Amino acid sequence: MKEDKKKGIGLSFAWNGIIQVIKREKNMRIHCIMALFAICFGFVFQISRLEWVTITIVIVLVFALEMMNSVCERIIDYVKPEISVEAKIIKDMAAGAVLVAAIGSIIIGSLIFIPKMFAFFGI
C-alpha cells in the first residue's frame, strides 16, 4: 500500500516539474510550439508509423535535454551563485547538448517533411 502511495506522489512531483519548466523556461515553450507544429504536420501529411515513432523520440529527447539543462543551470546557480568560469563552461556544455538535439530534430523533421511537402504541392 505504501508503494502505491509513493508512486502517486512521485508522479505529482514529476508533473509539477514539467509544469515548472514550461512556466519558467522560454526555450522549453519554444520547443513545445515546435513539437506542436511537427505533430500537426504529421497529421496533415499522414506520416507513417515509423515516422511517428521517429518524431516522437526526437521530441522527447529535446524535451528531456532541455529539462536537464534547466536543472543543471539552477543547480549551478544555487551551489555557485558568484560568477565562475567553470560554472559557465558547465552551463554552456549543457546548453550545447540541447542544441545538438535541436539541430538533429530539424534534420530529421526536414528528412521526413520536405519530401512530403514537395509531393503535396506537386513540386
Side-chain angles (χ1 to χ4, degrees):
M1 194 81 148
K2 267 187 173 177
E3 288 181 23
D4 289 341
K5 191 172 182 181
K6 277 186 175 181
K7 286 180 186 177
I9 292 171
L11 183 61
S12 68
F13 290 152
W15 184 250
N16 184 54
I18 293 167
I19 299 301
Q20 289 302 315
V21 78
I22 291 169
K23 282 182 181 178
R24 295 169 184 252
E25 299 295 334
K26 179 182 175 186
N27 286 342
M28 186 59 151
R29 292 190 297 275
I30 292 168
H31 294 310
C32 287
I33 291 166
M34 299 313 291
L36 286 174
F37 275 120
I39 291 165
C40 288
F41 285 161
F43 285 115
V44 168
F45 295 116
Q46 299 177 349
I47 62 177
S48 71
R49 183 182 307 253
L50 181 59
E51 290 167 331
W52 274 117
V53 168
T54 305
I55 292 293
T56 302
I57 290 169
V58 169
I59 289 170
V60 169
L61 177 65
V62 171
F63 281 9
L65 284 173
E66 182 62 47
M67 291 179 77
M68 292 310 300
N69 177 52
S70 298
V71 167
C72 180
E73 288 180 356
R74 289 182 184 277
I75 289 171
I76 296 287
D77 290 344
Y78 181 77
V79 172
K80 188 112 172 122
E82 63 278 357
I83 294 174
S84 160
V85 174
E86 288 301 315
K88 181 187 181 317
I89 291 169
I90 293 167
K91 287 180 172 185
D92 290 351
M93 293 167 105
V98 178
L99 180 60
V100 168
I103 290 170
S105 73
I106 291 167
I107 293 168
I108 289 169
S110 297
L111 290 170
I112 291 171
F113 292 119
I114 289 175
K116 295 188 183 303
M117 290 172 134
F118 284 165
F120 184 80
F121 293 111
I123 299 174

